[in-house]
Amino acid sequence: MNVLKRFAKRCVALALCACCLGGAVVANVPVTAQAAVSVSASTPVIRLDTASCELNTTAQKYYLAVTVTPDRGTPPDAVSSNPDVAVGKYVKKAGGRYLYEISGLKDGLATIYLRYANVENMMSVKVGDETGTIDVRIPEGSTLRETAQALERAGVCSMKDVFDAANSNAFDSYSFIASIPNADSRYYKLEGYLYPDTYNFWKGQNVQSVLKTMLNNYQTKTANINWQNTAGLTKEQVMTLASIVQRESTATDRANVASVFVNRLKSGNTVNVYRLQADSTMYYPYRAQGNVPSQLPGFQSTYNTYNITGLPAGPICSPSVESIQAALNPASTNYYYFCHSAAGNSYFAETLEQHNANLVAAGLRSAT
């Protein structure tokens, strides 16, 4: 636990020092780590010394990280909380310009906002012991619906809350979300940007805090990507293509699969191939026909690339960095067709005649 404490203090030092030294105005501060502070329910008092970038608590155990977010105008002597949790709003200065004492916290989860100049610090605070956290794994290629299901099963937040938040404007402080040109045409605005990974969340954690953690991870993982590409795709289109590549490929054939779709986009009309025809898009936002609710008979996805020309309106899942890179840098091929056998073996073809032969070889069609 001592190692955790030392790591925690380093996290808060990195996050707080950027905005508390000299009280200088800091513009466009990037969002950093998002986690939680845990304090003992029997002595729920946090002492936050923003001058020395130290956080002291009367509890024996705590986790710590601070997220730096754009200023929301919250005064430094206020405590905001999850509306579902009864939390007192008691903050007082404690013998110094930068020293605050936060008390009155009850069992549950709260969010504390502290503002310095034009920068605001937000801390998720779990009052109680650390047994309230849970690891949630979001596999590569998960849809937003599947992510919401995983979070609800883990007791982190409800699917409804995720859906509502995912289509709100609450995350437009992220440039890659604010720049989405066709949000109204997408099933879920945040689809594709909740990076697949294993996360440690509090049970009952505020949904915005949860989704910001995942968006922060996406931002970090893609920070060094060069989005330029020979297909002339925008960043949003690359993410859409990458999500299809994620669902249609294996770890060993991503670049070849990407080449099929890029070839179809760029020159498919020259070989009488006018649509992407990706099976993974047919029933989006559901993974497959069997996942479509029974109350939606005859459901038709607006993303179905058997019916539309070009890319769908947005991503169909959360792709990995490897799939994003494959979409940006597809293999140089003349392939316009591909298929996989039940064992996962790949078959690529330049012509429909070759593809039909591959379907037989892969066991997907009977020889005639």
Side-chain angles (χ1 to χ4, degrees), residues 14-316:
L14 288 173
L16 287 179
C17 282
C19 58
C20 67
L21 293 180
V25 174
V26 181
N28 300 320
V29 177
V31 176
T32 58
Q34 170 72 38
V37 179
S38 179
V39 297
S40 169
S42 59
T43 54
V45 177
I46 299 173
R47 293 176 64 83
L48 179 64
D49 184 347
T50 63
S52 62
C53 296
E54 290 283 344
L55 184 140
N56 301 307
T57 171
T58 54
Q60 295 296 312
K61 301 177 180 179
Y62 63 86
Y63 295 112
L64 175 64
V66 177
T67 298
V68 181
T69 61
D71 177 27
R72 296 185 186 84
T74 306
D77 59 348
V79 172
S80 300
S81 71
N82 180 333
D84 296 329
V85 180
V87 178
K89 52 176 184 178
Y90 302 101
V91 179
K92 66 179 180 179
K93 293 182 178 179
R97 180 181 177 186
Y98 297 106
L99 183 62
Y100 297 89
E101 185 175 276
I102 303 169
S103 61
L105 303 176
K106 303 182 185 302
D107 284 353
L109 189 73
T111 301
I112 296 174
Y113 298 98
L114 296 173
R115 190 183 75 174
Y116 307 94
N118 289 335
V119 178
E120 179 187 88
N121 288 281
M122 179 182 74
M123 288 185 293
S124 295
V125 179
K126 166 69 176 174
V127 181
D129 60 35
E130 69 272 18
T131 58
T133 64
I134 187 170
D135 286 339
V136 181
R137 179 175 175 266
I138 308 300
E140 295 174 356
S142 295
T143 66
L144 188 140
R145 291 186 64 85
E146 290 165 344
T147 298
Q149 289 169 347
L151 292 170
E152 182 171 271
R153 283 195 301 267
V156 176
C157 49
S158 71
M159 289 181 66
K160 180 182 183 304
D161 285 348
V162 173
F163 295 155
D164 290 345
N167 278 333
S168 72
N169 296 324
F171 308 98
D172 284 357
S173 58
Y174 294 90
S175 60
F176 55 89
I177 299 299
S179 63
I180 293 174
N182 60 344
D184 292 341
S185 300
R186 301 187 178 196
Y187 287 91
Y188 300 111
K189 185 176 178 179
L190 297 189
E191 184 74 86
Y193 299 95
L194 303 179
Y195 196 80
D197 210 336
T198 298
Y199 297 89
N200 184 258
F201 292 124
W202 293 109
K203 291 187 176 182
Q205 188 165 333
N206 178 277
V207 66
Q208 288 194 22
S209 172
V210 169
L211 298 187
K212 281 183 177 180
T213 300
M214 304 177 79
L215 292 171
N216 293 346
N217 196 15
Y218 167 85
Q219 185 170 253
T220 299
K221 292 289 197 304
T222 61
N224 296 321
I225 288 180
N226 179 357
W227 294 92
Q228 293 182 348
N229 59 93
T230 58
L233 301 177
T234 66
K235 185 175 181 179
E236 290 76 23
Q237 290 172 326
V238 169
M239 286 299 298
T240 300
L241 177 57
S243 70
I244 296 175
V245 171
Q246 179 72 55
R247 289 284 303 279
E248 297 282 344
S249 66
T250 68
T252 59
D253 66 7
R254 286 190 182 100
N256 279 334
V257 169
S259 78
V260 171
F261 293 123
V262 170
N263 289 342
R264 287 189 172 210
L265 289 171
K266 292 174 65 176
S267 57
N269 61 323
T270 66
V271 293
N272 297 320
V273 177
Y274 299 99
R275 292 173 178 160
L276 297 184
Q277 297 179 312
D279 291 355
S280 56
T281 65
M282 291 177 63
Y283 300 101
Y284 178 82
Y286 309 101
R287 179 169 286 268
Q289 186 175 18
N291 301 119
V292 178
S294 58
Q295 59 266 37
L296 295 177
F299 171 77
Q300 294 290 321
S301 174
T302 60
Y303 280 40
N304 187 345
T305 54
Y306 280 86
N307 297 332
I308 65 173
T309 300
L311 290 163
I316 62 169

